[in-house]
Amino acid sequence: DIVMTQSPDSLAVSLGERATINCKSSQSVLYRSDNKNYLAWYQQKPGQPPKLLVYWASTRESGVPDRFSGSGSGTDFTLTISSLQAEDVAVYYCQQYYTNPPTFGQGTKLEIK
Amino acid sequence: QVQLQESGPGLVKPSQTLSLTCTVSGGSISSGIYYWSWIRQPAGKGLEWIGRIYTSGSTNYNPSLRSRVTISVDTSKNQFSLKLSSVTAADTAVYYCARAAKRGDYLYYFDYWGQGTLVTVSS
């Protein structure tokens, strides 16, 4: 299985400041034939299911605010929230869909400082 | 707008079989371009993919659970189901059903999720 490791486990950021969450995969999730990174990011608020934010490592899902952006390639990825809003408090997960079984990171809990 | 809704007992005794159903609305489970998955999340922990099924009935399971998992589909009811046998307290979790586009034997990202249902394993 591909192991996904996120850092940090938790993060406290002031409103309006930048939040950065990292995700590292145990092997590359870049598929050479289409040059795409098979990596997604999800946001999960308490009592809710995960919500898809980003796929192909950097493509925002429809309706996701543009303060959310994904970057990276190969084995190292980043989710950035450019200006933290109160409603962004949540746990964030990365997920690889390069191969079976699809696997998730352990999650990063984002709070307001 | 596709919606998924899990249903089933919230309490299962140890060694018994956990059974859940996911009802899909707003779209057909037989559309042919999606896999339908079960994913679970123990309280305060991360997400674990359990397995998926295609409209034809073909399945793929997480090796960590393969010996205990059966996923089936009922296209006439637009539902798919999960059975997990010989449960222990370690199987206590919120169970989600989710949709992902099909890519050969693999799947893409999960774009629609059910709200989840808590299953507790306890005597």
Side-chain angles (χ1 to χ4, degrees):
Chain A
D1 298 4
I2 296 178
V3 177
M4 308 299 291
T5 304
Q6 293 180 226
S7 61
D9 289 333
S10 63
L11 180 63
V13 174
S14 301
L15 289 173
E17 296 299 303
R18 178 186 301 263
T20 301
I21 299 169
N22 301 300
C23 174
K24 189 174 184 67
S25 56
S26 61
Q27 67 183 75
S28 175
V29 298
L30 173 62
Y31 198 39
R32 297 291 182 188
S33 65
D34 59 11
N35 200 36
K36 288 185 174 182
N37 288 283
Y38 283 50
L39 188 286
W41 288 97
Y42 300 84
Q43 174 193 65
Q44 187 177 34
K45 297 182 179 179
Q48 296 185 19
K51 172 189 173 184
L52 177 66
L53 294 178
V54 170
Y55 53 93
W56 300 130
S58 61
T59 302
R60 262 190 310 276
E61 172 73 326
S62 175
V64 173
D66 61 6
R67 63 180 181 273
F68 290 90
S69 64
S71 62
S73 184
T75 61
D76 293 280
F77 301 90
T78 299
L79 177 69
T80 301
I81 307 171
S82 59
S83 177
L84 188 71
Q85 305 299 303
E87 61 265 32
D88 300 335
V89 169
V91 178
Y92 292 84
Y93 294 93
C94 60
Q95 178 233 330
Q96 65 80 19
Y97 48 98
Y98 181 85
T99 191
N100 285 331
T103 48
F104 296 83
Q106 81 276 17
T108 294
K109 186 175 184 179
L110 178 58
E111 300 173 313
I112 304 293
K113 184 186 290 184
Chain B
Q1 177 81 342
V2 173
Q3 293 186 317
L4 294 85
Q5 180 65 59
E6 305 88 352
S7 60
L11 180 64
V12 181
K13 288 182 167 52
S15 80
Q16 294 190 343
T17 297
L18 177 160
S19 296
L20 295 174
T21 295
C22 181
T23 301
V24 179
S25 59
S28 174
I29 205 168
S30 301
S31 71
I33 60 172
Y34 297 109
Y35 283 136
W36 305 91
S37 286
W38 287 98
I39 296 164
R40 70 180 183 178
Q41 184 174 37
K45 296 189 177 180
L47 298 153
E48 180 181 34
W49 179 76
I50 299 170
R52 61 84 174 154
I53 193 163
Y54 185 57
T55 181
S56 66
S58 73
T59 54
N60 185 271
Y61 302 133
N62 193 320
S64 67
L65 296 167
R66 181 177 291 142
S67 64
R68 299 194 291 130
V69 173
T70 303
I71 298 177
S72 58
V73 65
D74 186 337
T75 55
S76 68
K77 295 181 178 178
N78 226 32
Q79 294 176 335
F80 63 106
S81 298
L82 168 70
K83 290 188 185 299
L84 181 65
S85 64
S86 304
V87 297
T88 69
D91 295 310
T92 294
V94 174
Y95 286 76
Y96 295 100
C97 53
R99 185 187 86 168
K102 181 178 182 291
R103 171 175 68 99
D105 287 337
Y106 302 100
L107 42 70
Y108 289 113
Y109 44 85
F110 301 101
D111 58 354
Y112 285 96
W113 297 65
Q115 284 299 307
T117 187
L118 174 63
V119 178
T120 302
V121 178
S122 175
S123 55

